[in-house]
């Protein structure tokens, strides 16, 4: 399965992707996670990306496309993958199509997870992430057993720099202007599926699996 997860910031793309990895044994490719790792490692790419990410804007297409193309050619993507947070605009979607044509393996499905703006704000301001394994928690909806500590690996939980209210507003605007048009893009290609991302994480996962398995 070669899957694109579409959805606004906070829709739960990363949360659902982590569950899909376990169920289908395919990797998650999150451009946001790759960029945050580059920032944490202090690489030249990370230094360039940080300023843009902190403003809630998109990192240049050329940079992101290079990262994705390299990642898609790795061995663990042979049986499929979950693209999370990529593509982010029409130029990235077209470039992805061209890469996949050259690899002879087009996308199977683009799944859009739809969530109201008020819920998105609460999910994002309450999010905490493990520095070590990237597991997500939420101080409103899914607290870790011990405050500030990951249940899975004992790593330290942190709040993302771009999860401040002003930056979240900008990210939501960028989503509406640049990423939401991809719903139409994939609909025209006949591979779009949509679900409402409301309910518990497990309830949504059940809906995701039903749609992906055509149940
Ligand atoms: P990225 O990391 O992709 O962030 P995003 O798209 O803004 O999405 P999020 O990760 O914030 O949300 P999510 O949908 O994954 O939600 P999550 O599962 O965490 O991008 C960050 C930045 O990097 C961009 O702004 C840009 O600068 C740059 N970038 C990345 N990709 C790029 C690209 N392709 N091109 C250019 N620039 C790029 O869930 C959120 C919270 O809600 C969590 O706390 C979770 O526990 C909670 N939650 C999840 N589901 C539920 C539920 N059902 N009920 C209650 N709480 C829930
Ligand atoms: Mg995410």
């Amino acid at each position: 399965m070669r899957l694109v997860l579409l959805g606004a910031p906070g829709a739960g793309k990363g949360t659902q992707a982590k569950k899909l990895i376990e169920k289908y044994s395919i990797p998650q490719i999150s451009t946001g996670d790759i960029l945050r790792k580059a920032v944490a490692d202090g690489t030249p790419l990370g230094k360039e990306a940080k300023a843009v990410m902190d403003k809630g804007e998109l990192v240049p297409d050329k940079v992101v496309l290079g990262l994705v193309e390299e990642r898609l050619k790795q061995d663990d993507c042979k049986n499929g993958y979950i693209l999370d947070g990529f593509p982010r605009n029409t130029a990235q979607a077209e470039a992805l199509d061209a890469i996949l044509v050259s690899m002879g393996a087009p996308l199977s499905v683009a799944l859009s997870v739809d969530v109201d703006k008020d819920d998105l704000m609460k999910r994002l301001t309450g999010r905490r992430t493990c520095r070590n394994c990237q597991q997500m928690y939420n101080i409103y909806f899914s607290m870790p057993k011990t405050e500030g500590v990951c249940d899975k690996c004992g790593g330290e939980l942190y709040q993302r720099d771009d999860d401040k209210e002003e930056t979240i507003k900008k990210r939501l605007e960028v989503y509406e202007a640049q990423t939401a048009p991809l719903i139409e893009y994939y609909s025209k290609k006949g591979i779009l599926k949509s679900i409402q991302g409301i309910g518990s994480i497990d309830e949504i996962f059940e809906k995701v699996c039903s749609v992906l398995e055509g149940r």
Side-chain angles (χ1 to χ4, degrees), residues 20-46:
L20 290 166
I21 297 172
E22 281 177 29
K23 177 154 184 178
Y24 297 105
S25 303
I26 50 174
Q28 168 197 21
I29 303 175
S30 159
T31 41
D33 286 352
I34 296 171
L35 291 167
R36 275 184 292 281
K37 179 159 188 323
V39 171
D41 292 347
T43 65
L45 162 66

Side-chain angles (χ1 to χ4, degrees), residues 36-169:
R36 275 184 292 281
K37 179 159 188 323
V39 171
D41 292 347
T43 65
L45 162 66
K47 284 181 184 142
E48 186 191 337
K50 181 164 172 46
V52 182
M53 293 169 80
D54 284 352
K55 281 193 274 180
E57 290 169 3
L58 296 184
V59 171
D61 293 344
K62 214 174 129 213
V63 172
V64 180
L65 278 162
L67 294 172
V68 172
E69 182 162 16
E70 191 188 311
R71 184 68 189 85
L72 286 172
K73 290 183 173 158
Q74 288 172 16
D75 264 3
D76 63 337
C77 292
K78 283 211 168 93
N79 295 325
Y81 45 77
I82 307 150
L83 282 168
D84 160 10
F86 177 91
R88 216 52 173 229
N89 56 30
T90 308
Q92 290 183 13
E94 287 170 351
L96 174 65
D97 284 344
I99 293 168
L100 296 181
V101 164
S102 76
M103 293 173 71
L107 289 173
S108 332
V109 54
L111 177 63
S112 168
V113 181
D114 307 329
V115 177
D116 289 345
K117 252 198 181 145
D118 289 350
D119 291 318
L120 294 174
M121 200 44 112
K122 205 162 176 188
R123 286 187 188 184
L124 291 169
T125 52
R127 171 167 54 196
R128 300 292 182 271
T129 309
C130 175
R131 262 192 215 287
N132 181 46
C133 74
Q134 277 28 273
Q135 178 63 39
M136 253 94 62
Y137 298 87
N138 197 288
I139 58 167
Y140 303 115
F141 305 113
S142 50
M143 289 275 281
K145 291 194 187 93
T146 308
E147 199 186 325
V149 180
C150 178
D151 292 349
K152 285 200 165 167
C153 75
E156 179 203 357
L157 304 187
Y158 79 103
Q159 183 168 24
R160 269 171 48 177
D161 287 342
D162 61 350
D163 279 346
K164 298 186 186 87
E165 207 166 316
E166 273 316 297
T167 317
I168 293 171
K169 280 189 189 146

Side-chain angles (χ1 to χ4, degrees), residues 144-208:
K145 291 194 187 93
T146 308
E147 199 186 325
V149 180
C150 178
D151 292 349
K152 285 200 165 167
C153 75
E156 179 203 357
L157 304 187
Y158 79 103
Q159 183 168 24
R160 269 171 48 177
D161 287 342
D162 61 350
D163 279 346
K164 298 186 186 87
E165 207 166 316
E166 273 316 297
T167 317
I168 293 171
K169 280 189 189 146
K170 179 68 187 175
R171 286 162 60 207
L172 292 171
E173 280 170 25
V174 168
Y175 171 79
E176 282 305 327
Q178 300 197 45
T179 313
L182 295 183
I183 293 175
E184 170 91 8
Y185 179 90
Y186 287 117
S187 173
K188 281 192 181 147
K189 287 191 174 284
I191 59 164
L192 181 77
K193 310 256 184 202
S194 303
I195 59 158
Q196 289 293 318
I198 304 296
S200 73
I201 290 170
D202 286 341
E203 281 165 356
I204 296 166
F205 187 59
E206 184 48 39
K207 284 197 253 180
V208 168

